[in-house]
Amino acid sequence: MKEPIFWLALSFLLVAISLTILLASAIPAFRELARAGRSVQKLADVISRELPPTLEAIRLTGLEISELSDELNQGAKNAGEAVKQVNEGIKGAKNQAQKASIATRSAIAGIKAGWNAFSQPRRSRRPSSLANDSSPPKQLPPFDDNSRFDIEPK
């Protein structure tokens, strides 16, 4: 230990060998880092070129979807209105059919009453039983709108 210069030189030599080994093992790692950096740069270039048109296409697609949903809503409203109109038409046809049925029944009842009146043998205007009867004639029940269509032939 008496020669400090020897130990100092030996220390420098060991430090130099350690640094050389460290640099020798770090060179492949630095190359890989450089390659990864170039890949990241290429990826960033591709993204900067491709992302704005993609985002614009996504925005336009969203607008088209919005327009289509508005058109579908309008179509659904129109279909609902058409269904209401058809329902009203069916109700009107049903009412007209009921009125025609009532009119037909009334006409048939009238024809039957007329047929019965004409097919019976003719009698004098006043039957003899009524000619001798001094009682007042029977009164018919009061007329209302609902009873005029309830004529049922017996």
Side-chain angles (χ1 to χ4, degrees):
M1 289 225 171
K2 294 197 178 196
E3 297 188 28
I5 294 187
F6 171 74
W7 290 111
L8 182 63
L10 183 63
S11 298
F12 281 136
L13 180 65
L14 288 175
V15 168
I17 291 172
S18 298
L19 285 176
T20 305
I21 292 172
L22 179 66
L23 288 175
S25 64
I27 289 175
F30 291 146
R31 286 184 181 167
E32 288 298 318
L33 281 174
R35 189 177 312 149
R38 283 191 299 273
S39 295
V40 168
Q41 185 178 7
K42 287 180 184 177
L43 179 63
D45 289 342
V46 168
I47 287 174
S48 68
R49 276 193 324 260
E50 297 294 326
L51 190 60
T54 303
L55 291 176
E56 181 66 20
I58 290 172
R59 186 182 69 79
L60 291 175
T61 303
L63 290 175
E64 289 174 358
I65 288 173
S66 175
E67 289 174 4
L68 287 175
S69 67
D70 290 343
E71 288 177 11
L72 284 174
N73 287 338
Q74 186 63 34
K77 286 179 185 177
N78 291 342
E81 290 173 7
V83 167
K84 285 180 184 176
Q85 289 176 354
V86 167
N87 283 340
E88 289 174 5
I90 289 173
K91 286 179 184 176
K94 184 178 177 183
N95 288 339
Q96 288 178 355
Q98 287 176 346
K99 289 178 182 177
S101 173
I102 291 169
T104 303
R105 281 189 276 158
S106 298
I108 290 173
I111 290 171
K112 283 185 180 181
W115 181 258
N116 287 337
F118 286 120
S119 66
Q120 291 180 355
R122 294 201 172 222
R123 297 183 190 165
S124 65
R125 290 196 144 212
R126 277 196 117 172
S128 61
S129 63
L130 288 179
N132 295 337
D133 191 13
S134 62
S135 64
K138 293 183 182 177
Q139 289 188 352
L140 295 175
F143 179 76
D144 64 20
D145 286 341
N146 293 331
S147 66
R148 77 176 167 168
F149 295 114
D150 294 338
I151 300 172
E152 290 293 325
K154 293 183 181 178

